[in-house]
Amino acid sequence: MKNYVLLFVTVLTLSFNSCTTMKDTTKTADLYNTSWELEYISGPRIAFEGLYPDKKPFLKFDEATKQASGNAGCNGFSAPFTLKGKTLTFGEQGPTTMMFCEGGGEQTFLQMIKKINAYSIDKDGKLNLLLNDVPMMRFKKVTK
């Protein structure tokens, strides 16, 4: 009997912890009316500061036009997006003026954003762009 009680308490504790650590405060409205500055990107073996030595990428989402715009770290960025629930995908990037960019971060950003298929906004207000539920890019809110 003692083992069953211990097992029950353990399962209950694990269930409670998993629910609180995975808490997601995603509301579609939170995505709009702000600028999101990149603070983490998965994949490259180069330090984040080395990828973006001069300027960090940022995004803005326009609800009316369904366009994401901003900067990919050096050159401007603009692409249509599709949002359904937590599913988020980006279309082909529009034309921009191309100038040489130090660090190689712009290409990393553009390649990664094409792979994104979902998003979440965590309890700290950070925007996570996901690939199959794995955070690939994390952005913080900024006032621009």
Side-chain angles (χ1 to χ4, degrees), residues 15-47:
S15 297
F16 178 75
N17 282 341
S18 68
C19 289
T20 59
T21 58
M22 295 303 289
K23 188 173 183 179
D24 182 15
T25 61
T26 301
K27 293 180 218 150
T28 304
D30 291 342
L31 197 58
Y32 306 111
N33 302 319
T34 193
S35 290
W36 297 98
E37 184 179 79
L38 185 69
E39 64 177 20
Y40 166 80
I41 189 164
S42 179
R45 294 182 181 198
I46 301 170

Side-chain angles (χ1 to χ4, degrees), residues 59-125:
L59 288 175
K60 290 182 180 182
F61 294 89
D62 187 320
E63 186 174 15
T65 64
K66 300 296 183 201
Q67 283 283 119
S69 61
N71 189 288
C74 179
N75 293 295
F77 172 81
S78 177
F81 68 90
T82 303
L83 181 65
K84 291 181 183 172
K86 291 185 180 184
T87 301
L88 173 67
T89 55
F90 293 89
E92 284 300 311
Q93 179 186 353
T96 63
T97 303
M98 296 300 286
M99 57 186 206
F100 176 75
C101 307
E102 291 287 330
E106 182 169 70
Q107 287 305 312
T108 303
F109 177 88
L110 295 174
Q111 290 169 1
M112 186 62 70
I113 207 153
K114 289 178 185 178
K115 299 176 183 178
I116 298 304
N117 59 20
Y119 84 102
S120 69
I121 298 175
D122 64 24
K123 63 182 176 168
D124 297 324

Side-chain angles (χ1 to χ4, degrees), residues 3-17:
N3 288 338
Y4 288 117
V5 171
L6 183 59
L7 179 63
F8 176 75
V9 170
T10 303
V11 169
L12 188 63
T13 302
L14 289 173
S15 297
F16 178 75
N17 282 341

